[in-house]
Each structure stands twice: as C-alpha cells, then as structure tokens.
Amino acid sequence: QLQLQESGPGLVKPSETLSLTCAVSGGSFSSGTSYWGWIRQPPGKGLEWIGSLHHSGSTYNTPSLKSRVTIFVDTSKNLFSLNLTSVTAADTAVYFCARQHSAYDRFFDSWGQGTLVIVSS
Amino acid sequence: DIQVTQSPSSLSASVGDRVTITCRASQHIANYLNWYQQKPGKAPKLLIFASSRFYGAVPSRFSATGSGTDFTLTITNLHPEDFATYYCQQSFNTLLTFGQGTRLEIK
C-alpha cells in the first residue's frame, strides 16, 4: 500500500527557506504515470495547491507563489522535496504531500498525514 | 486561474438527512471536478473524480453529478461519520484550484 510521509522543520524564521521532504514507500515512484504534489492548508482554512512534479523532473506550480517555490525529486531515495523561500507568517500551514493520479487525471488519490510548519521568529 | 466557488460554506444537518453541496467553476471545465472529504486533523480523502466517478469504497449514499460549470455532491441518509468538511477541486488545466470548503456539522 502506498504511503507518503512528510518531514522537515516545524518552525521556520521569517525570510528564511522552508524545506520539506516527502518519502514515498509501498509503491512505484520512478516509473509509471503518477505525478507528485504539494498542497498546504493554513490553520482553520482551506486547501491550496502548491505544485506538482513527475519523477522525470517535469514540474508546474501555482503562479500565486511565483518564483518562491522549487519542487524537485530524488529518485534514488524515492522522495520529492519542496523549497519555499522568503517565508512570512502567511506561509504558516499544514503541508501535505500527495500522489497526483497522472498528468491528465490531476486529482490526488493518496496523501501524507501532513506536517505543520509555523513561520515565526 | 479557474476559480471554484462552493456553497454553502457551512451546513447543519441531522443523521438521516439529505444534503447537497454545490461547486461552481468560473469557466467551463467539462467533467474535471473532484471531491474530497476531510476530517479534523486528517488529510483529505478523495471521494469522487471526474465529476461522478467513485474512488475506492465510497458508500452508495454519496452521489455526484455535473458538467461544464455546475457540480453537486449529494449525501442521502447522513451517517455520523459523514460529518466533515468537503472540498471540490478543478483539474481542467495544470493550475489546480480547490473550493473554499463546506463544513457539514451535526445539528
């Protein structure tokens, strides 16, 4: 059974870089048509898609975060990562990693449990 | 970006009731609309993809329909475990967006 597990610091200072990793186990990561995504949820608010990538390295992300987002993959370790630069308090959220079914079926059918990241000095 | 607007934002109902949640897209999205259920402290769970197709073992009291810009999720005979927040998500293009959510509470 596919499992995804987020990891990373729970506290990041303003203006610094938020870095998270998602480890994928129990399924095919570097073959097949799946994409892999990051979604976040500020406390008490709704879901916001951040970006998605394929194991080949092809990525796309939300323009609302502009050039602050980098999503990259390490197929040797079956994981993908998120970097979000120049964070502010508005970036405080639970960050989820998830499997996107495919390039054209862009829904998320398997999710990690989420990790809370607080931006504060 | 394609915006998706859910209504209502919150809903109170009783066990056994029938409820309908609506999602409206800001432009035509064919059937590229998905529904998720989220319980407090948990990750969202995919219920419906492609407007009306069940994902996994979704109880038959759930149904969904729609095409173009207007979509609905209906739950009949509400069970206690159905009280949660529901999100729609459009996947028409690569700029994915979620609705703001509908919180379904016990009356």
Side-chain angles (χ1 to χ4, degrees), chain B residues 35-39 43-45 47 62 81-82 84-86:
Chain B
W35 291 97
Y36 300 83
Q37 177 193 66
Q38 186 181 32
K39 296 184 178 179
K45 174 186 173 184
L47 294 178
F62 288 83
E81 60 266 32
D82 300 334
T85 300
Y86 293 85

Side-chain angles (χ1 to χ4, degrees), chain A residues 59-76:
Chain A
T59 66
Y60 50 94
N61 55 54
T62 178
S64 65
L65 295 176
K66 297 181 181 178
S67 58
R68 296 201 295 134
V69 171
T70 304
I71 300 175
F72 54 98
V73 63
D74 186 339
T75 55
S76 67

Side-chain angles (χ1 to χ4, degrees), chain B residues 84-104:
Chain B
T85 300
Y86 293 85
Y87 293 93
C88 59
Q89 175 233 335
Q90 69 78 21
S91 51
F92 182 74
N93 58 27
T94 57
L95 299 183
L96 308 178
T97 47
F98 288 88
Q100 77 274 25
T102 295
R103 184 176 179 184
L104 176 56

Side-chain angles (χ1 to χ4, degrees), chain A residues 39 41 45-49 52 60-61 63 96 99-100 104 106-109 111-112, chain B residues 1 32 34 36 38 42-44 46 49 55 87 89 91-96 98 100:
Chain A
I39 301 99
Q41 184 171 38
K45 297 188 178 180
L47 301 167
E48 178 185 22
W49 171 74
S52 299
Y60 50 94
N61 55 54
F96 296 99
R99 182 177 69 180
Q100 179 179 311
Y104 297 102
R106 290 179 284 265
F107 52 83
F108 299 98
D109 57 16
W111 295 65
Chain B
D1 296 8
Y32 290 93
N34 315 299
Y36 300 83
Q38 186 181 32
K42 300 294 186 181
L46 178 68
F49 67 98
Y55 183 82
Y87 293 93
Q89 175 233 335
S91 51
F92 182 74
N93 58 27
T94 57
L95 299 183
L96 308 178
F98 288 88
Q100 77 274 25

Side-chain angles (χ1 to χ4, degrees), chain B residues 54-93:
Chain B
F54 289 167
Y55 183 82
V58 177
S60 58
R61 60 183 180 274
F62 288 83
S63 63
T65 188
S67 183
T69 60
D70 294 320
F71 303 84
T72 60
L73 174 70
T74 298
I75 314 170
T76 57
N77 188 24
L78 277 169
H79 282 41
E81 60 266 32
D82 300 334
F83 292 92
T85 300
Y86 293 85
Y87 293 93
C88 59
Q89 175 233 335
Q90 69 78 21
S91 51
F92 182 74
N93 58 27

